[in-house]
């Protein structure tokens, strides 16, 4: 009887155990990167990526008023400067692309500039090397167009195991339909969609912090909260 019970117990264990095929990760499957949606951004855990803030692309942004878009782009860049965040500035100047937006350039002297010739910067070895050198898992990105270069980079970085945040009010697209579809796809991929004011206050955390006054001025200069914009 004892031998029978032992045999039955062993059979149950073997039945519950995964087969060799099941135990192996599916070939080509991306790393599983669960996003902790309640873990806040800090100056120690995030990297900023500014995607294609070039003058040649800005006329194509039709989902947000041009003056507001430029102000949001400047505020996003200035947020990276206020907190001295590791920042990568992507874009190829020249030709139809134009030059980097002056509103962004004035706040990105600390950024590493990387040119690329691929839609997704993840295919550019220099970009991947810089991301790995910085070594942070949270990536805050934005830039035109949300449904093309920003979207493709966000998807690739999610597949590579990064936690991605897209600043939607510093991105934009040519139609509301395209922008909406892009945001839905980003959410489906586990990307956090946010805005520059939210990330600025989240990283600051306390108005009495050393950056509190600078963030207050940021809102004054670039949002309706200050009644100047």
């Amino acid at each position: 009887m004892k031998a029978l019970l032992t045999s039955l117990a062993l059979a149950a264990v073997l039945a519950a155990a995964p087969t060799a095929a099941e135990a192996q990760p599916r070939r080509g499957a991306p790393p599983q990167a669960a996003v902790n949606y309640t873990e806040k951004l800090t100056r120690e855990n995030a990297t900023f990526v500014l995607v294609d803030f070039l003058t040649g692309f800005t006329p194509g942004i039709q989902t947000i008023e041009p003056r507001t878009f430029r102000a949001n782009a400047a505020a996003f860049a200035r947020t990276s400067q206020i907190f001295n965040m590791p920042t990568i500035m992507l874009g190829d100047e020249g030709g139809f692309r134009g030059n980097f937006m002056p509103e962004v350039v004035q706040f990105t002297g600390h950024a590493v500039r990387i040119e690329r010739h691929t839609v997704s910067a993840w295919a550019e070895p220099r970009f991947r090397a810089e991301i790995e050198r910085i070594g942070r898992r949270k990536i805050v990105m934005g830039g035109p167009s949300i449904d093309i270069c920003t979207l493709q980079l966000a998807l690739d970085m999610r597949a590579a195991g990064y936690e991605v945040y897209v600043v939607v009010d510093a991105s934009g697209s040519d139609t509301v339909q395209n922008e909406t579809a892009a945001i839905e796809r980003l959410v489906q991929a586990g990307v956090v969609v946010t805005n520059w004011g939210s990330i600025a206050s989240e990283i600051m955390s306390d108005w009495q912090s050393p950056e509190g006054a600078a963030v207050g001025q940021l809102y004054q200069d670039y949002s309706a909260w200050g009644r100047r914009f």
Side-chain angles (χ1 to χ4, degrees):
M1 185 66 179
K2 183 176 180 181
L4 177 60
L5 291 175
T6 301
S7 298
L8 290 174
L10 179 59
V13 170
L14 292 174
T19 65
E22 292 171 336
Q24 295 298 317
R26 184 165 51 87
R27 182 171 296 178
Q32 297 302 309
V35 178
N36 182 351
Y37 292 103
T38 62
E39 181 182 25
K40 294 186 177 180
L41 296 167
T42 71
R43 71 197 75 200
E44 291 83 21
N45 69 8
T47 297
F48 278 36
V49 178
L50 281 61
V51 186
D52 296 338
F53 283 106
L54 296 159
T55 56
F57 293 153
T58 53
I61 300 299
Q62 300 294 312
T63 54
I64 184 171
E65 192 271 327
R67 178 169 172 262
T68 303
F69 172 71
R70 292 194 299 271
N72 290 343
F76 179 36
R78 188 167 166 183
T79 300
S80 75
Q81 182 194 61
I82 289 172
F83 297 103
N84 194 28
M85 304 296 292
T87 302
I88 299 173
M89 193 167 171
L90 296 169
D92 307 324
E93 291 186 298
F96 72 90
R97 299 178 182 87
N99 299 311
F100 284 112
M101 296 167 56
E103 297 91 341
V104 170
V105 170
Q106 65 179 320
F107 300 121
T108 50
H110 62 296
V112 175
R113 291 192 183 187
I114 296 178
E115 293 186 359
R116 75 191 193 290
H117 306 285
T118 57
V119 176
S120 170
W122 193 243
E124 169 54 52
R126 283 190 59 214
F127 175 77
R128 294 180 67 165
E130 183 63 16
I131 287 291
E132 290 170 3
R133 184 194 67 80
I134 295 169
R136 299 182 177 190
R137 306 305 297 176
K138 292 183 180 292
I139 309 297
V140 182
M141 68 173 70
S145 170
I146 193 171
D147 60 313
I148 303 178
C149 295
T150 297
L151 172 66
Q152 296 303 317
L153 176 57
L155 293 177
D156 284 344
M157 295 201 75
R158 278 295 295 138
Y162 289 88
E163 298 180 26
V164 180
Y165 297 69
V166 170
V167 183
V168 295
D169 59 348
S171 299
S173 185
D174 57 339
T175 70
V176 172
Q177 183 181 40
N178 290 343
E179 182 178 77
T180 300
I183 291 174
E184 289 182 354
R185 190 175 181 190
L186 288 166
V187 172
Q188 289 167 348
V191 173
V192 179
V193 293
T194 185
N195 60 76
W196 70 259
S198 180
I199 61 172
S201 61
E202 188 169 325
I203 296 173
M204 175 193 67
S205 182
D206 186 342
W207 287 109
Q208 293 186 332
S209 69
E211 295 81 14
V215 173
Q217 191 63 50
L218 184 71
Y219 292 148
Q220 291 289 314
D221 292 343
Y222 295 104
S223 80
W225 297 109
R227 301 184 182 276
R228 298 182 188 179
F229 174 68

